[in-house]
Amino acid sequence: MAIQLTDNVSPAARRDILDLEQKISSFRAGDIADEAFRKFRLTRGVYGQRQPGVQMIRIKLPHGRITADQLVRIADLSDKYATGNLHATTRQDIQLHFVKLADSPQLWAELEDAGITLKEACGNTVRNVTGSARAGIDPLEPFDITAHAYHIFDYFLRNPICQDMGRKFKISLSSSEKDSAYGYMHDVGLVARIQDGKRGFKVMLGGGLGAQPFSAQTAYEFLEEDRVIPFIEGVIRVFDRYGERQKRHKARMKYLLNDIGLDELLRRVEAETPALKNKTVEVNDLPASVGELYPDRSEVSNYQPNVGPASSENPRFTTWFRTNVFEQKQPGWYAVQLRVLLGDMHSDTARALAAIVKQYAADDIRVTVNQGYLLRFIRPEDLPAVFEALDALGLANPGFDTTADITTCPGTDTCNLAISSSYGITRALESMMHDEFPDLVFNDDIKIKISGCMNGCGQHSVANIGYHGSSLKNGAYVLPALQVLLGGGFNGKGEGLIADKVIKIPAKRGPDSLRYLLRDFEANAFDGEYYSDYYARQGKNYFYQLLKPLADLKTLVDSDYIDWDHTEQYVTEVGVGECASVLIDLVATTLTEAAEKLGWAREALAEGRWADALYHAYNVFITGARAALMSHDMPTNTQHGIVSDFDKTFVGSPSQGEPGFHRAEGDFKHLVFSINKEEPSAEFATRFLAQADAFLQTVQAHREKQLEREGAPELQELTQAQDS
């Protein structure tokens, strides 16, 4: 059945959707290698699940912002194509699970009709741009960062410089010095500041989580706002050129920064300046496509409440108001925060929530980094009615973003990489705290975060108390385990810290571990002491000894061999791949990829997008050179390394009866890296593209002669790799 596309779908999105449909058809016919298809679909937000034959669809919501109608559209599509569940993530996305691969193009088309995209939600791209959910209403903010988040999102969406990076790239914007968007764990973290009357940002670089978490380094204490996007572009161009591409676990920008140092990285970024599409980018307001964020502005500025927040005799309302509601910077207006267990919301609940928003709030819902939702511009007299309506939906639980509100990833419920259950232990911990530590709904100093593995989707490394899924061996048996991490998050000085791994314990002892930690803190912490400061004062060994009895495997019982939310004995396993391995000619596949990039370069040139044409042409050189090196069984890695190796290997002297590609060593490098020596222009783009075209033709001819001489190549086996 043909994809149904409405007039609301942009030409760029239309082509993406039809391309996805065509690639799915080719993949099913066996014409595309599994690994190549995996790489393709990930950049379209289609992610393989643990369960065979179904996908997770990640919906990219810049800054976590969504309208009521968009929420309804996602809920309806979850009913139609998924399970009726909407999962909010720590990157302010919404995910749908158990979607058939064949349904993903039409699902995408129906999202684009409502102004929502999947493009670059996964894969080695610039991922969703996250930001403080309170932006625009935050009493502590120097200015509203919402427009900046949208402009950064728009600037890098479908941008040639970030379509084929070695790894993903993450950007966040925090509205105040509290760094509520966790800039210190991002590739680029921005914190809003005003200096000498000018708006700008503190800029942090090279943060990241995973098996080896790094805190970001400060590149600028203050960078004027119109220079931020060009600076990020320069950083991405450097990361694309010099970043690791073979050793996946070393391919994040944090490792490049660690290898070459901040000064050298900034020098290389500066060297990219001539090639930048824009030297400055003004951010004065939201893109026209976004629409209005607030109620009528005169209504906001002129509103004078006759009374303060309406009271209620219901003690649950009082607790909810204390923990989930705050007054905005706009006098007399209030915001309401929704605590959502596991980040999961049923489609019926989402539609009912949208109706509440339309009746009582601004059409501006924000998904929060702790997997909740924030509603804005609510009149104080409406708060009791809002509470009652939310309470009927199960969305008025107190304790938003407190100790009792745990952040978690889906774990083994759906993820290929997860080792143990995240959802099950989260329920167990929240239940224990509700029963034994009820006052924790008022404590917003201790954050608990859980991931199903070390990769950190639940952000356990920046928690005061964190857990990630693992396993333990006891003789011939394996049991589910939790790695306990302590001391991350923010300390009393507002500094962002990375947690220490302290001890690994059986997963079923997770509630006991948290019980020990909370009771110890209650008994021994100084009055007003932050948990991470308390951890630093006591030291890692103190907590290791505190929890050591829980790690004793001599006291195991039968239930310890069964994971949370399961009844069968635990076994470690990797999720099932989506299909069998295939045999392909890797060089031919790479040359086809280069030809495709040449087509993109020609299209950009025809449309007058000189900078885009130049970067696509640059990638033709890189991909063609990689194919030539592969044809001689030479390993390839960074783009810079590919150019250098090609320059040395294919220099002018005849090789096996064929002429070289260039006369002297250094010629090829000089040609390719001339991309950042001139301003983007029609003349330069036309010349550079013609040179890339001629180069690719030469590589293709070289390969044809090689095959005539040596015969058909030995086909290479490619099998399913893990998504991330």
Side-chain angles (χ1 to χ4, degrees):
M1 182 177 178
I3 300 297
Q4 302 298 309
L5 294 160
T6 69
D7 292 340
N8 291 332
V9 181
S10 70
R14 181 180 298 264
R15 183 166 64 177
D16 284 336
I17 293 164
L18 295 176
D19 196 19
L20 175 60
E21 181 187 35
Q22 185 274 322
K23 288 289 197 301
I24 290 173
S25 177
S26 297
F27 172 66
R28 288 184 157 175
D31 297 333
I32 301 178
D34 181 54
E35 176 63 16
F37 179 66
R38 184 187 73 91
K39 178 180 173 182
F40 173 86
R41 63 171 167 76
L42 282 172
T43 60
R44 277 79 180 166
V46 182
Y47 187 106
Q49 281 189 203
R50 192 178 191 88
Q51 297 81 6
V54 291
Q55 317 294 316
M56 176 269 282
I57 302 297
R58 180 174 292 151
I59 301 169
K60 194 174 186 181
L61 304 174
H63 204 222
R65 193 224 173 203
I66 192 170
T67 67
D69 285 342
Q70 287 175 330
L71 183 61
V72 170
R73 176 63 60 89
I74 294 173
D76 290 346
L77 293 178
S78 184
D79 285 343
K80 185 175 181 180
Y81 296 111
T83 62
N85 183 61
L86 286 66
H87 177 71
T89 77
T90 56
R91 297 209 56 75
Q92 296 174 286
D93 300 303
I94 290 177
Q95 294 178 173
L96 307 182
H97 293 89
F98 296 93
V99 176
K100 294 177 182 177
L101 181 62
D103 288 337
S104 56
Q106 185 61 50
L107 190 160
W108 188 1
E110 293 177 48
L111 285 170
E112 288 283 355
D113 177 67
I116 309 167
T117 193
L118 304 183
K119 181 68 171 174
E120 295 154 43
C122 307
N124 298 336
T125 61
V126 173
R127 297 289 185 87
N128 195 29
V129 176
T130 60
S132 301
R134 294 188 178 194
I137 61 172
D138 185 352
L140 301 178
E141 69 182 16
F143 59 88
D144 185 358
I145 61 167
T146 301
H148 295 82
Y150 271 107
H151 278 279
I152 292 171
F153 165 82
D154 280 347
Y155 194 89
F156 294 108
L157 187 70
R158 299 185 177 90
N159 194 312
I161 70 169
C162 49
Q163 297 305 300
D164 191 24
M165 297 186 293
R167 280 296 259 122
K168 57 192 173 184
F169 196 93
K170 297 181 178 180
I171 303 168
S172 77
L173 299 93
S174 288
S175 59
S176 74
E177 296 297 327
K178 291 185 69 173
D179 194 15
S180 58
Y182 291 91
Y184 79 96
M185 67 172 207
H186 282 76
D187 296 291
V188 174
L190 305 171
V191 178
R193 286 181 172 175
I194 291 181
Q195 182 173 299
D196 299 327
K198 297 180 179 179
R199 302 195 313 183
F201 293 88
K202 174 185 178 180
V203 181
M204 295 173 280
L205 293 178
L209 300 181
Q212 284 187 281
F214 283 55
S215 286
Q217 300 181 40
T218 299
Y220 294 100
E221 288 293 344
F222 182 82
L223 186 66
E224 291 183 18
E225 61 179 343
D226 63 349
R227 294 178 57 201
V228 167
I229 288 177
F231 175 74
I232 297 174
E233 179 179 352
V235 171
I236 292 173
R237 292 170 75 104
V238 170
F239 174 57
D240 194 35
R241 188 160 303 148
Y242 296 97
E244 170 71 38
R245 288 176 178 266
Q246 291 301 312
K247 300 175 184 175
R248 186 172 178 80
H249 63 288
K250 292 287 187 181
R252 292 296 300 275
M253 202 192 78
K254 61 187 179 182
Y255 295 108
L256 175 61
L257 175 58
N258 190 58
D259 288 344
I260 67 176
L262 180 60
D263 290 344
E264 175 61 18
L265 179 68
L266 293 178
R267 186 196 69 76
R268 294 183 187 183
V269 171
E270 181 65 26
E272 296 292 325
T273 299
L276 299 182
K277 184 186 301 186
N278 299 283
K279 306 304 185 285
T280 60
V281 175
E282 298 288 341
V283 178
N284 297 316
D285 209 343
L286 292 162
S289 61
V290 174
E292 188 60 71
L293 291 178
Y294 310 114
D296 180 80
R297 291 183 184 273
S298 61
E299 180 187 0
V300 172
S301 58
N302 296 328
Y303 178 66
Q304 296 292 330
N306 295 324
V307 294
S311 60
S312 170
E313 295 181 0
N314 186 344
R316 294 179 61 250
F317 171 85
T318 303
T319 301
W320 171 81
F321 179 81
R322 178 177 167 186
T323 64
N324 293 31
V325 180
F326 67 91
E327 186 174 8
Q328 301 177 180
K329 72 177 185 181
Q330 294 82 6
W333 294 90
Y334 285 79
V336 169
Q337 301 166 117
L338 312 184
R339 178 181 168 191
V340 180
L341 178 64
L342 310 175
D344 287 343
M345 183 181 294
H346 191 273
S347 56
D348 289 340
T349 303
R351 282 185 285 268
L353 174 61
I356 295 171
V357 170
K358 288 184 175 183
Q359 183 174 0
Y360 295 111
D363 194 16
D364 182 9
I365 308 164
R366 302 290 174 97
V367 181
T368 64
V369 295
N370 66 321
Q371 303 173 289
Y373 293 80
L374 185 147
L375 314 183
R376 306 142 74 86
F377 288 96
I378 297 174
R379 292 179 174 83
E381 60 267 27
D382 289 336
L383 286 170
V386 170
F387 169 77
E388 294 296 337
L390 292 175
D391 194 36
L393 299 175
L395 295 177
N397 292 325
F400 175 87
D401 202 28
T402 64
T403 309
D405 186 10
I406 297 175
T407 301
T408 185
C409 72
T412 51
D413 277 39
T414 55
C415 180
N416 264 325
L417 302 178
I419 301 171
S420 64
S421 171
S422 299
Y423 277 6
I425 183 61
T426 298
R427 291 189 188 96
L429 295 182
E430 290 203 2
S431 177
M432 183 275 292
M433 287 189 288
H434 178 272
D435 294 340
E436 301 179 29
F437 301 89
D439 288 344
L440 287 178
V441 295
F442 302 111
N443 185 324
D444 59 4
D445 292 335
I446 301 176
K447 311 294 187 191
I448 302 173
K449 300 177 185 291
I450 298 174
S451 301
C453 70
M454 67 180 68
N455 286 299
C457 293
Q459 301 179 344
H460 58 267
S461 293
V462 292
N464 307 111
I465 300 174
Y467 297 92
H468 80 66
S470 188
S471 61
L472 283 167
K473 282 202 73 174
N474 185 35
Y477 297 96
V478 181
L479 62 150
L482 293 170
Q483 175 69 56
V484 183
L485 301 95
L486 301 173
F490 295 97
N491 61 16
K493 298 177 182 178
E495 298 167 329
L497 305 172
I498 300 295
D500 290 335
K501 291 183 178 180
V502 175
I503 196 169
K504 189 187 293 187
I505 61 172
K508 283 297 181 66
R509 299 179 183 181
D512 281 335
S513 71
L514 183 57
R515 187 179 289 114
Y516 284 17
L517 293 168
L518 294 175
R519 287 177 177 169
D520 171 75
F521 184 66
E522 284 183 348
N524 299 309
F526 296 149
D527 199 28
E529 188 171 23
Y530 279 72
Y531 193 87
S532 292
D533 290 330
Y534 174 65
Y535 171 79
R537 176 166 65 84
Q538 295 284 31
K540 178 178 177 178
N541 186 59
Y542 173 87
F543 292 92
Y544 174 81
Q545 296 299 330
L546 175 69
L547 299 177
K548 186 177 178 180
L550 297 178
D552 185 359
L553 301 186
K554 294 190 292 291
T555 59
L556 291 173
V557 296
D558 289 346
S559 61
D560 287 320
Y561 293 94
I562 300 173
D563 203 1
W564 292 101
D565 277 358
H566 289 261
T567 56
E568 74 284 358
Q569 185 167 320
Y570 173 82
V571 292
T572 52
E573 59 181 1
V574 176
V576 179
E578 296 171 353
C579 60
S581 61
V582 294
L583 296 175
I584 64 168
D585 177 354
L586 290 176
V587 177
T589 300
T590 305
L591 287 172
T592 299
E593 184 181 335
E596 187 176 50
K597 292 174 179 177
L598 182 64
W600 297 340
R602 288 171 176 158
E603 181 178 297
L605 185 69
E607 295 175 356
R609 294 184 285 115
W610 317 130
D612 291 354
L614 283 163
Y615 211 85
H616 283 312
Y618 163 78
N619 272 317
V620 173
F621 281 115
I622 297 297
T623 309
R626 179 159 59 93
L629 291 168
M630 291 165 60
S631 73
H632 287 251
D633 296 324
M634 294 188 64
T636 62
N637 191 357
T638 68
Q639 291 182 348
H640 193 274
I642 287 170
V643 172
S644 296
D645 289 344
F646 184 91
D647 213 1
K648 296 173 184 175
T649 304
F650 293 97
V651 76
S653 59
S655 171
Q656 299 182 6
E658 296 181 28
F661 285 73
H662 44 277
R663 294 180 179 276
E665 186 175 334
D667 285 353
F668 184 67
K669 183 181 292 187
H670 181 269
L671 169 61
V672 176
F673 292 151
S674 67
I675 187 177
N676 66 353
K677 301 299 188 293
E678 299 183 40
E679 299 281 338
S681 66
E683 187 277 328
F684 181 29
T686 301
R687 168 166 42 91
F688 198 66
L689 194 157
Q691 291 167 324
D693 189 354
F695 170 74
L696 181 57
Q697 291 182 43
T698 305
V699 174
Q700 290 168 333
H702 172 84
R703 178 58 170 169
E704 289 172 5
K705 290 180 180 178
Q706 184 186 31
L707 293 177
E708 289 175 5
R709 185 174 58 250
E710 301 175 5
E714 181 179 346
L715 298 183
Q716 302 294 309
E717 183 176 65
L718 284 184
T719 55
Q720 174 74 6
Q722 293 293 343
D723 291 325
S724 69

